[in-house]
Amino acid sequence: GAGVSQTPSNKVTEKGKYVELRCDPISGHTALYWYRQSLGQGPEFLIYFQGTGAADDSGLPNDRFFAVRPEGSVSTLKIQRTERGDSAVYLCASSMGAGPTDTQYFGPGTRLTVL
Amino acid sequence: AQRVTQPEKLLSVFKGAPVELKCNYSYSGSPELFWYVQYSRQRLQLLLRHISRESIKGFTADLNKGETSFHLKKPFAQEEDSAMYYCALSPHNFNKFYFGSGTKLNVKP
């Protein structure tokens, strides 16, 4: 079956621009996570959705970052006024639920480059 | 503050040798611990989780609460084990995951 998909796979933008990154989770998965992975580092938690609501957004670095999941399926991570430090791979993961035996399935990531 | 530390960026062993990838954590509570793996040109995927007490592809991990460690071990490394390994921690409500910086395992023939 189809796994988690993310679009675009690569995004190059200029400093100060606005970008949107999309995540299509596995059908039926209620939990969705966004992470940011900088070069040489592990994934850094950004936000967790349970259904349509952001259950934990404590990882968002500042108010330039925002994410939505209006229908409890597709999610969009939005970054305003991009900075060079935002350059990273943005990963999305989904799981059936958020329990001890639920497995996160990761997407391939979107590589964002801010020039 | 919560933290996951993987002290080795790179670990090289010969095929058939034992391997141990180190993971130490700090967390105010009793978290759940995981190991994730990323093979070349593949997605990040779960390898094993402490709560299941499982052995996957010959790998096991023991949680030592006294030393706050969750080292990953395999008695006889195989070339196909070469990959990037990440240790991760989650609170009991699984609302977030904290990852270490990863260890690249290189198994030489």
Side-chain angles (χ1 to χ4, degrees):
Chain A
V4 177
S5 62
Q6 293 185 245
T7 54
S9 54
N10 279 283
K11 176 71 177 177
V12 180
T13 190
E14 293 180 342
K15 180 174 177 295
K17 299 289 188 183
Y18 168 82
V19 296
E20 289 190 353
L21 311 179
R22 176 186 168 111
C23 172
D24 281 83
I26 293 172
S27 178
H29 281 193
T30 63
L32 186 147
Y33 304 81
W34 281 100
Y35 297 88
R36 176 171 68 175
Q37 187 170 21
S38 301
L39 194 63
Q41 300 299 314
E44 174 192 8
F45 168 78
L46 295 176
I47 187 170
Y48 157 62
F49 286 92
Q50 181 57 248
T52 60
D56 190 323
D57 64 358
S58 61
L60 295 178
N62 51 60
D63 61 6
R64 296 187 298 106
F65 289 75
F66 189 71
V68 296
R69 194 185 185 199
E71 298 178 357
S73 178
V74 171
S75 178
T76 305
L77 179 65
K78 308 180 181 193
I79 310 174
Q80 298 178 321
R81 305 184 302 280
T82 52
E83 299 178 356
R84 292 196 180 88
D86 298 335
S87 296
V89 175
Y90 288 81
L91 295 169
C92 175
S94 72
S95 58
M96 186 70 74
T101 58
D102 288 304
T103 298
Q104 284 189 94
Y105 294 90
F106 281 82
T110 293
R111 182 175 298 278
L112 175 66
T113 303
V114 182
L115 301 177
Chain B
Q2 53 282 334
R3 179 181 293 178
V4 179
T5 303
Q6 293 180 250
E8 303 138 328
K9 283 197 175 298
L10 173 65
L11 185 63
S12 287
V13 301
F14 284 102
K15 176 184 171 182
V19 63
E20 179 180 68
L21 287 82
K22 291 183 168 50
C23 172
N24 288 88
Y25 66 91
S26 62
Y27 185 77
S28 55
S30 295
E32 296 297 333
L33 277 298
F34 305 79
W35 276 98
Y36 283 79
V37 61
Q38 188 166 25
Y39 300 102
S40 180
R41 290 182 290 280
Q42 293 190 26
R43 303 177 184 200
L44 189 61
Q45 60 185 283
L46 177 68
L47 178 62
L48 58 78
R49 69 189 96 204
H50 167 253
I51 197 169
S52 300
R53 303 290 198 276
E54 57 204 344
S55 172
I56 303 293
K57 298 184 179 182
F59 284 98
T60 59
D62 292 322
L63 178 62
N64 186 322
K65 293 186 178 180
E67 296 183 357
T68 59
S69 68
F70 189 57
H71 303 328
L72 184 68
K73 301 177 183 179
K74 184 169 182 176
F76 307 104
Q78 303 299 314
E79 289 180 70
E80 55 265 32
D81 296 329
S82 294
M84 197 74 187
Y85 291 80
Y86 295 95
C87 182
L89 167 164
S90 176
H92 278 287
N93 60 3
F94 302 95
N95 62 333
K96 63 183 70 173
F97 287 76
Y98 298 99
F99 285 80
S101 56
T103 297
K104 184 174 183 178
L105 175 64
N106 178 32
V107 182
K108 298 176 284 188

